[in-house]
Amino acid sequence: MEDELLKYIVDKCYKEGDYTLSSGEKSKYYVNCKPLTLSGQGLYYCSTLILDHIDKDISAVAGLTLGADPLVSAVAMMSYQTWRPLDALIIRKKPKGHGTLSQVEGPLPPEGSKITVLEDVTTTGASALYAVDICRELGYTVDRVVTIVDRKNYEPFLWHDHDLELKSLFTLDDIKSGNQAHVRT
């Protein structure tokens, strides 16, 4: 399944050229996982593989909208089908301006519960850290971030300094190598 997922990312999510990333940085490589996470096949592959990185003591998976929306939902559904139910939490970039003024949507677990943050593409780590901070402010324990693609464009001790472990399905180098292998075949 990992090989199929890599091929899918190379074929449908990866581009080379001149791009400005959401972090504002310039890059010759662009990875947009939306075509992956918004397709049934792609979402099945990545949620199945992400679930392998979710510990059994986790109560919920959470992520920053929009990139993590399909991921947290699919992983929650997959967990229900395979071993035990997890809840999915979607974190808004800003609290709602009406109603409950909530910044987190979904069934909130009890304070002190362990949560894993999910992300589609990690570049500087800022989006994942924002989601982690929101969860921690709500009294949850977060010690892991799981991402589909790690661009490895963050400070060397970023995760350690925030008491986090980063797990990725692929790195940008994996995708670039997969693209070269794909072109040769």
Side-chain angles (χ1 to χ4, degrees), residues 6 9-10 14 31 149 170-179:
L6 178 60
I9 292 170
V10 168
Y14 175 74
V31 182
V149 178
F170 302 103
T171 64
L172 181 59
D173 287 340
D174 295 332
I175 294 165
K176 291 187 314 191
S177 296
N179 185 51

Side-chain angles (χ1 to χ4, degrees), residues 153-169:
N153 206 29
Y154 39 79
E155 296 298 317
F157 297 104
L158 177 73
W159 307 109
H160 178 268
D161 291 349
H162 289 86
D163 295 319
L164 290 165
E165 174 184 33
L166 176 69
K167 296 281 190 174
S168 63
L169 302 183

Side-chain angles (χ1 to χ4, degrees), residues 9 24 33-35 41-42 52 68 74 80 84 87 100 104-105 111 113 128-129 135 139 142 146 160 167-168 183-184:
I9 292 170
C33 282
K34 307 303 182 287
Q41 178 186 17
D52 291 339
Y80 180 81
R84 67 165 180 82
D87 288 324
T100 62
V104 180
E105 296 294 341
E111 194 171 315
S113 297
L129 288 178
C135 291
V142 183
V146 180
H160 178 268
K167 296 281 190 174
S168 63
V183 169
R184 285 194 295 267

Side-chain angles (χ1 to χ4, degrees), residues 8 12 33-46 70:
Y8 196 105
K12 306 214 187 271
C33 282
K34 307 303 182 287
L36 171 74
T37 61
L38 295 173
S39 76
Q41 178 186 17
L43 192 56
Y44 173 77
Y45 287 160
C46 62

Side-chain angles (χ1 to χ4, degrees), residues 76-88:
M77 184 184 72
M78 189 67 69
S79 73
Y80 180 81
Q81 293 175 327
T82 57
W83 47 278
R84 67 165 180 82
L86 292 172
D87 288 324

Side-chain angles (χ1 to χ4, degrees), residues 5 49 69 92 112 155:
L5 180 57
L49 293 172
D69 292 1
R92 297 174 185 274
E155 296 298 317

